[in-house]
Amino acid sequence: MSNFINRRKFIAGSALSAAGLLMSEHTAGLNKPENQIASISNANRPSSYNLMKEVMKYRKIDSHVHAHLFDGGPEGNIAFADRLGIDKMFVSRPAYNGEGTPKEFRSYNDLMLDCMKQYPDRLIGQFTANAIYQKESLEEIKRCVDLGMVGLKVYTQLKINNPLFYPIIEKMIDLKMIIHMHAYAQLGLGGYRMKYDVGIRPNTSIPEDFVEIAKRYPEAMFQYAHIGGGGDWEYTCKSFVHYPNIYVDTSGSNNPENMIDSAMKLLGEDRLFFGSDNCYYQSVGKILASNLTENQKKKVFFDNYNAILRRSGNNID
Amino acid sequence: MLIDINAYVGHWPFQQLKYNTCEALLQRMNKFGVDVSVISNLNGIFYKNTQSANEELYEEIRSNSKFKDRFIPFAVINPIYAGWRDDLETCVTKLDMKGVRIYPKYHDFDIIDPACIELVKRVRDYGLPVAFNYRMVDSRQRSWMDIGYVVGTAKKEWNLKDIIPIIKAVPDAKYMILNFANAAVLSPEEINLVKNTDLIFDTSGRTITNMAEFLNLYGTNKFAFGTHSPILDYLTGLLRIESLYSNEADENTKELLRSGNAKRMLGL
Amino acid sequence: MSGLSRRKFVCGTAFSAAGIVMSDGFSGFIPRSNSGSNSSSESSEKKYNIMQEVMKYRKIDSHVHVNLSSTNSEVQKKFAEVLMNYSERMKVEKLMLSNPVTRLINSIPDGRPESFIANNNSVLGVMKIYPKIFSGSFTFNPVHAKESMDEIKRCVDLGMVNAKAYYQTKINDPSYYPIVEKMIDLKMVIHMHAEAQIGVGGYRMKYNGYKPLNVSIPDDFVDIAKRYPEAIFQYAHIGGGGDWEYMCKTLKNSPNVYVDTSGSNNEENLIDFAVKQLGENRVLFGSDNCYYQCVGKILASNLNESQMKKIFFENYNNLLRKGGRNVD
């Protein structure tokens, strides 16, 4: 306590002038940045970039988004679709958890059908299935297509190149619809460098699995899910350079700088789809921040996926 | 003429390096009389996708016309990473790379992994050398984030015995074995393999404690000047050559060490 | 004066090969009236001549050993020739030889008095072979207080000039106090093996470096140097493989700790960094029997000529001068 008083006395008494000097220096220091900002010449100012204007400039189809999975029903999807100018969302509810029995996947598809009814102008459902139940899956695909769903979304029950998938892929070829498969490139997952086994989802499809099935069915169309989903996107894109029937969507919670440019450099401008995987800010931000031309951005946000839809006559005008 | 077969540009993520750009290295070369340096990009050791590092190196060399004659770029290729065959072809046919440096420990594959054997064979078929090294830095001063090959532990630093298996697997490739840093007792069969292979060691490694003895053991055609710059100092590798007495190495032999052996392997 | 002793050095050892190297070295300096063309003589003048640079500097090696693996006098005699070869080739005019007990018995350092006495005897034997070039350091183990004190007295009487200790006991262990005090009286350097490696000697022991427990680390030197500011400590081999940035930063504010630059590692920037952190007076040339790196790392640095002189020779000579044992 006495120390404290001494110290205060010291400041009040003996060192007034020094303290005053320090204060005024400090004040001057505070003023300085203001002066500095004020003195930026016009020529040296940054250009005025209007981000929301850029966001709204592009029509968008979200090729990878979920409802009733992470963040509630379709109201949330629509709120973000409005906020970020997303015209159409291809919503899905894959067998993310549970066994993926026919009962389960039918109920998931029913949920998506309900979403479509609720927002018929904005939401289109991707149907899900489980190739382990081959007969039931094929029947379910027919049911869903008849009810207006477009495209297959599948998960980690089976690898994409498992022979049980063959009849389903052949069906999708007939339908001229894309097969959208959850995918990863992570050390120790799904057969990729298993000395680092992380012990999860052993049947996750990895880039090599896509390459194998894409070679077997060159007329099929595959969508490798979320290169921004946390995996090694360089590894992924480098794997697909020579396989034109594999497309990638840019969704996922990760938005590394240079991912979009790098993917475009490796895969060309026709094989990238905009997608959010419900990570809405990143989904748009990563594409706007890239060095893509306006035309390329249009393709990624809208035209590329629409071209896929066109093959089955489901394109958006 | 003086050719350094073991130099780098780029970063070491755990320690600041000096002279680690083409510009700074060129000044170093000019100061100490080095005509040409074989370089690769250190970043390629740390990037998963090593091709980005190769592209960086290509761009850096292109950035100034005076670099072209003075640097010989080597690619860094990881044969267990996607797209490496494309990358190798691009490096050789488009990026003017004249050899490949391979890092099994950093890129985490066995030296006789089928992928590594395939890489060495492909480089051989281009008529170019591959380079392996004993180590990049002394493990005793390694960062906690560096690889765990540590002197005095069960997972030790490499010596020549750890590199010989790839030479055995592809005996007709050209090898540069860099930074001779740990001793090993070789069997007569292994010594013969080394002698009969188109192989050169550079002079940067600490295990070369007496240059004359190493010349006697392996032959005067087996060594070439190397610095391991910018990790090791710029002169010790040269001192091993220049401090040889004339009764240990005549001028012709010294010229082989300064540049002759390197020229032969690089096809210059 | 220094010119004279240098000439004496060359004459005395009289290896014709050294003469050839020297004259090769000088030829770069001497303008040749009969040279083929101006341009070639110009380029030869400009050209960096490494051996000329090597020969330019007098040197005292502050950290060098006799053969560490044998006390057999024939083996040591043979090794003395290796040391002389180095002395000639790199122009090192004084070698501070030592033979610390590095042997491990069941992973524990041999700390027996008979072992350090035998090792000192091997150094004393080698010193006699080339007494003008070879000087010696004695070793001991402070845990054996009386035997160590007796041994120090014996060795000093026989002409040894400083202390060299190893990893039997940490430098800041209280058992060292009487030894340090003795060394203060003698005005001699205490040269201690030291490391800075994760998992060694108490530094980040979650990483096991598989080394004896009592290896001294930079922090131990700081501790003892603070307790005895008048003592002189030599932190061994910053090029010995450890983390030299850690070493130099730790020792920065301990003015009575010197470092020697020896060791098999010759990282670019090691010397410049050490001088920047510790100043040009606290860095000592040493080889630890790595005969190329020791000289190469200093010549490759950005030190000016005067700083190189200090490191190669003067700094250590100044320490010797404190006890009147300097060269000249």
Side-chain angles (χ1 to χ4, degrees):
Chain A
M1 195 61 184
S2 68
N3 261 347
F4 192 65
I5 290 167
N6 282 345
R7 188 174 151 73
R8 205 189 294 174
K9 265 188 195 160
F10 164 75
I11 292 172
S14 64
L16 241 186
S17 60
L21 199 66
L22 274 175
M23 294 271 299
S24 64
E25 261 185 17
H26 189 58
T27 313
L30 273 178
N31 281 338
K32 227 177 179 176
E34 279 176 23
N35 294 339
Q36 191 185 334
I37 289 169
S39 70
I40 297 175
S41 69
N42 281 337
N44 200 25
R45 279 175 199 275
S47 62
S48 58
Y49 180 80
N50 186 331
L51 177 57
M52 286 315 295
K53 196 174 155 196
E54 290 298 311
V55 170
M56 292 305 170
K57 190 157 96 186
Y58 299 99
R59 298 182 73 190
K60 301 178 197 73
I61 302 172
D62 189 339
S63 70
H64 182 162
V65 60
H66 306 292
H68 295 295
L69 185 55
F70 306 124
D71 48 10
E75 300 78 13
N77 296 80
I78 292 301
F80 266 106
D82 289 344
R83 191 189 300 273
L84 298 177
I86 301 169
D87 299 69
K88 304 278 183 186
M89 286 179 157
F90 281 76
V91 290
S92 63
R93 195 339 183 156
Y96 176 78
N97 40 13
E99 287 173 52
T101 62
K103 189 177 168 216
E104 283 170 349
F105 63 68
R106 281 179 206 131
S107 74
Y108 299 150
N109 290 331
D110 285 342
L111 277 175
M112 294 307 103
L113 288 161
D114 289 346
C115 291
M116 290 166 69
K117 273 179 206 151
Q118 200 175 336
Y119 296 100
D121 298 335
R122 308 294 294 280
L123 303 184
I124 300 106
Q126 290 172 347
F127 42 88
T128 192
N130 179 354
I132 293 170
Y133 305 96
Q134 204 173 83
K135 182 170 168 288
E136 293 87 341
S137 290
L138 289 166
E139 286 168 4
E140 178 66 358
I141 290 172
K142 184 173 184 325
R143 178 180 83 99
C144 291
V145 170
D146 289 347
L147 291 169
M149 296 179 91
V150 179
L152 173 66
K153 166 72 190 186
V154 268
Y155 219 69
T156 55
Q157 284 74 27
L158 278 183
K159 277 176 172 280
I160 187 81
N161 56 340
N162 189 300
L164 287 172
F165 254 112
Y166 296 170
I168 292 175
I169 291 166
E170 288 161 20
K171 178 71 187 165
M172 295 303 290
I173 292 170
D174 291 344
L175 289 167
K176 299 187 167 61
M177 287 182 185
I178 200 161
I179 301 145
H180 174 199
M181 175 51 119
H182 175 83
Y184 244 80
Q186 177 183 346
L187 297 179
L189 188 57
Y192 174 44
R193 306 188 64 189
M194 295 309 286
K195 64 188 271 196
Y196 300 99
D197 194 350
V198 291
I200 51 173
R201 298 189 186 272
N203 284 330
T204 301
S205 297
I206 64 172
E208 283 80 355
D209 302 326
F210 279 75
V211 166
E212 193 186 317
I213 196 72
K215 274 201 302 213
R216 184 180 175 95
Y217 290 109
E219 65 280 47
M221 299 176 283
F222 298 93
Q223 177 177 345
Y224 181 97
H226 51 41
I227 59 170
D232 182 344
W233 46 271
E234 288 183 296
Y235 189 96
T236 299
C237 295
K238 287 171 76 98
S239 298
F240 298 153
V241 168
H242 301 296
Y243 304 97
N245 55 330
I246 303 175
Y247 300 78
V248 303
D249 76 61
T250 59
S251 73
S253 63
N254 280 14
N255 54 326
E257 189 74 289
N258 194 42
M259 182 181 83
I260 300 295
D261 290 320
S262 176
M264 170 124 330
K265 191 175 153 196
L266 287 160
L267 303 176
E269 58 188 45
D270 300 323
R271 291 206 272 150
L272 267 57
F273 303 147
F274 166 69
S276 69
D277 199 7
N278 303 56
C279 302
Y280 302 109
Y281 301 114
Q282 298 96 309
S283 69
V284 175
K286 66 182 98 176
I287 292 170
L288 291 181
S290 75
N291 292 310
L292 269 51
T293 64
E294 190 164 333
N295 186 47
Q296 288 170 329
K297 284 179 188 162
K298 275 184 184 159
K299 283 183 137 181
V300 175
F301 275 131
F302 192 91
D303 296 345
N304 286 344
Y305 196 73
N306 207 29
I308 301 294
L309 296 172
R310 185 169 289 118
R311 297 194 192 183
S312 61
N314 288 297
N315 51 305
I316 292 142
D317 297 319
Chain B
M1 185 169 202
L2 205 47
I3 298 176
D4 175 3
I5 67 163
N6 183 17
Y8 290 93
V9 295
H11 294 284
W12 192 255
F14 317 120
Q15 186 176 52
Q16 184 194 55
L17 297 175
K18 305 289 184 184
Y19 324 112
N20 61 339
T21 60
C22 285
E23 183 63 43
L25 177 58
L26 187 64
Q27 282 176 28
R28 212 80 179 129
M29 293 160 68
N30 288 340
K31 179 173 178 184
F32 294 115
V34 176
D35 297 275
V36 172
S37 292
V38 174
I39 55 174
S40 60
N41 185 349
L42 282 171
N43 301 355
I45 294 174
F46 303 97
Y47 295 169
K48 288 169 290 168
N49 175 17
T50 65
Q51 189 65 356
S52 309
N54 297 326
E55 289 163 2
E56 283 173 5
L57 179 62
Y58 175 73
E59 290 302 327
E60 189 174 350
I61 291 175
R62 264 164 48 111
S63 70
N64 191 322
S65 58
K66 69 187 174 186
F67 295 155
K68 197 176 180 305
D69 299 337
R70 306 291 298 278
F71 295 115
I72 296 176
F74 270 35
V76 177
I77 299 284
N78 174 358
I80 62 166
Y81 199 80
W84 71 267
R85 293 178 190 85
D86 292 342
D87 295 339
L88 175 63
E89 191 192 341
T90 303
C91 284
V92 173
T93 60
K94 297 200 175 82
L95 306 186
D96 306 325
M97 304 281 178
K98 303 298 184 203
V100 176
R101 288 183 179 159
I102 306 173
Y103 297 93
K105 280 180 291 185
Y106 278 95
H107 293 158
D108 194 28
F109 54 84
D110 195 285
I111 198 163
I112 47 168
D113 186 298
C116 186
I117 291 174
E118 185 188 341
L119 170 58
V120 171
K121 285 181 174 169
R122 281 175 181 257
V123 180
R124 172 200 65 193
D125 294 344
Y126 282 117
L128 299 177
V130 292
F132 291 91
N133 71 12
Y134 287 71
R135 66 179 192 188
M136 288 305 297
V137 296
D138 192 310
S139 59
R140 291 170 296 176
Q141 57 113 335
R142 82 189 201 287
S143 159
W144 42 96
M145 288 182 286
D146 206 339
I147 51 172
Y149 288 79
V150 182
V151 172
T153 70
K155 194 174 169 189
K156 58 185 178 44
E157 286 184 2
W158 274 10
N159 61 44
L160 192 49
K161 271 190 182 296
D162 297 294
I163 300 172
I164 278 178
I166 188 69
I167 302 172
K168 247 184 207 161
V170 195
D172 53 349
K174 298 182 193 180
Y175 292 93
M176 291 181 173
I177 309 294
L178 305 176
N179 198 19
F180 204 133
N182 291 300
V185 180
L186 300 187
S187 68
E189 183 205 357
E190 288 168 327
I191 292 206
N192 271 337
L193 180 68
V194 170
K195 282 189 170 170
N196 294 327
T197 304
D198 193 357
L199 174 155
I200 46 177
F201 302 102
D202 85 309
T203 59
S204 71
R206 65 172 190 161
T207 294
I208 307 176
T209 51
N210 181 326
M211 192 72 233
E213 285 175 5
F214 274 69
L215 293 176
N216 287 337
L217 180 61
Y218 291 102
T220 54
N221 60 341
K222 290 294 183 214
F223 291 88
F225 167 57
T227 58
H228 203 58
S229 171
I231 290 174
L232 295 185
D233 84 57
Y234 207 70
L235 291 178
T236 290
L238 183 58
L239 193 52
R240 288 194 171 90
I241 297 168
E242 299 302 330
S243 68
L244 284 164
Y245 295 142
S246 54
N247 61 355
E248 295 168 328
D250 58 20
E251 259 312 293
N252 286 338
T253 303
K254 281 194 182 179
E255 270 310 309
L256 283 179
L257 303 177
R258 289 179 189 127
S259 66
N261 292 332
K263 278 185 195 165
R264 190 194 70 233
M265 179 158 289
L266 293 163
L268 299 173
Chain C
M1 187 60 193
S2 81
L4 191 66
S5 59
R6 178 164 122 185
R7 201 183 303 164
K8 261 190 194 157
F9 162 70
V10 173
C11 293
T13 52
F15 278 17
S16 61
I20 291 167
V21 169
M22 299 264 315
S23 62
D24 268 2
F26 284 131
S27 67
F29 268 147
I30 299 162
R32 290 187 201 167
S33 55
N34 62 345
S35 67
S37 73
N38 283 342
S39 64
S40 79
S41 81
E42 229 173 61
S43 71
S44 81
E45 269 176 18
K46 270 190 203 162
K47 207 175 155 195
Y48 183 80
N49 184 328
I50 190 168
M51 288 316 293
Q52 190 176 295
E53 293 296 314
V54 171
M55 291 303 154
K56 194 156 92 183
Y57 297 99
R58 301 181 70 189
K59 300 176 199 76
I60 302 173
D61 188 339
S62 70
H63 182 161
V64 57
H65 303 293
V66 299
N67 188 314
L68 290 173
S69 55
S70 172
T71 49
N72 178 296
S73 64
E74 283 310 306
V75 173
Q76 291 294 356
K77 225 185 226 169
K78 223 171 146 188
F79 196 74
E81 295 309 317
V82 173
L83 293 169
M84 271 312 292
N85 185 313
Y86 153 64
S87 161
E88 289 281 337
R89 198 184 298 260
M90 298 298 168
K91 200 196 170 194
V92 183
E93 58 189 89
K94 213 58 160 173
L95 275 60
M96 293 296 149
L97 292 168
S98 64
N99 191 4
V101 182
T102 58
R103 183 189 312 118
L104 296 172
I105 301 172
N106 297 325
S107 307
I108 296 180
D110 176 3
R112 296 170 299 166
E114 58 263 42
S115 300
F116 62 71
I117 291 168
N119 278 28
N120 287 332
N121 284 337
S122 71
V123 177
L124 289 161
V126 173
M127 283 165 65
K128 284 186 197 137
I129 301 174
Y130 294 104
K132 281 187 182 153
I133 311 287
F134 294 168
S135 194
S137 313
F138 45 83
T139 193
F140 52 89
N141 178 6
V143 170
H144 300 285
K146 184 176 176 306
E147 292 88 340
S148 290
M149 283 301 195
D150 290 348
E151 180 64 359
I152 290 172
K153 184 173 182 330
R154 179 180 81 99
C155 291
V156 171
D157 288 347
L158 290 169
M160 288 178 135
V161 298
N162 61 24
K164 165 73 190 189
Y166 219 68
Y167 49 35
Q168 284 76 13
T169 309
K170 270 183 179 279
I171 185 111
N172 59 340
D173 186 277
S175 66
Y176 254 103
Y177 297 168
I179 305 264
V180 173
E181 286 162 22
K182 177 76 184 164
M183 297 302 291
I184 292 170
D185 291 344
L186 289 167
K187 297 187 167 64
M188 286 182 177
V189 175
I190 304 154
H191 174 200
M192 175 52 127
H193 174 81
E195 302 182 23
Q197 175 183 348
I198 52 177
V200 173
Y203 174 43
R204 308 193 63 188
M205 296 309 286
K206 67 187 261 196
Y207 303 94
N208 190 349
Y210 297 93
K211 292 273 179 75
L213 282 175
N214 287 331
V215 174
S216 295
I217 64 173
D219 311 79
D220 303 327
F221 281 74
V222 170
D223 192 34
I224 191 77
K226 213 198 263 175
R227 186 179 175 93
Y228 290 108
E230 66 279 48
I232 307 162
F233 297 96
Q234 177 179 343
Y235 181 100
H237 50 42
I238 58 172
D243 181 342
W244 43 270
E245 288 179 300
Y246 186 95
M247 297 171 197
C248 294
K249 288 173 76 91
T250 305
L251 299 172
K252 188 180 173 76
N253 298 315
S254 301
N256 54 328
V257 181
Y258 295 72
V259 303
D260 75 63
T261 59
S262 73
S264 64
N265 278 16
N266 55 317
E267 276 113 328
E268 191 77 288
N269 198 39
L270 175 148
I271 300 295
D272 289 322
F273 188 85
V275 168
K276 192 174 156 198
Q277 294 289 329
L278 305 172
E280 60 190 46
N281 298 321
R282 283 164 62 195
V283 179
L284 312 170
F285 167 70
S287 71
D288 197 7
N289 304 71
C290 300
Y291 309 123
Y292 300 110
Q293 298 96 308
C294 63
V295 175
K297 68 181 97 174
I298 292 172
L299 291 181
S301 75
N302 291 313
L303 301 188
N304 61 37
E305 203 163 307
S306 150
Q307 290 171 320
M308 288 199 192
K309 274 185 185 159
K310 282 184 154 186
I311 287 162
F312 275 132
F313 187 87
E314 290 165 8
N315 286 344
Y316 197 78
N317 207 31
N318 287 339
L319 295 180
L320 291 173
R321 184 171 288 119
K322 294 189 183 197
R325 303 175 187 92
N326 49 307
V327 182
D328 279 343

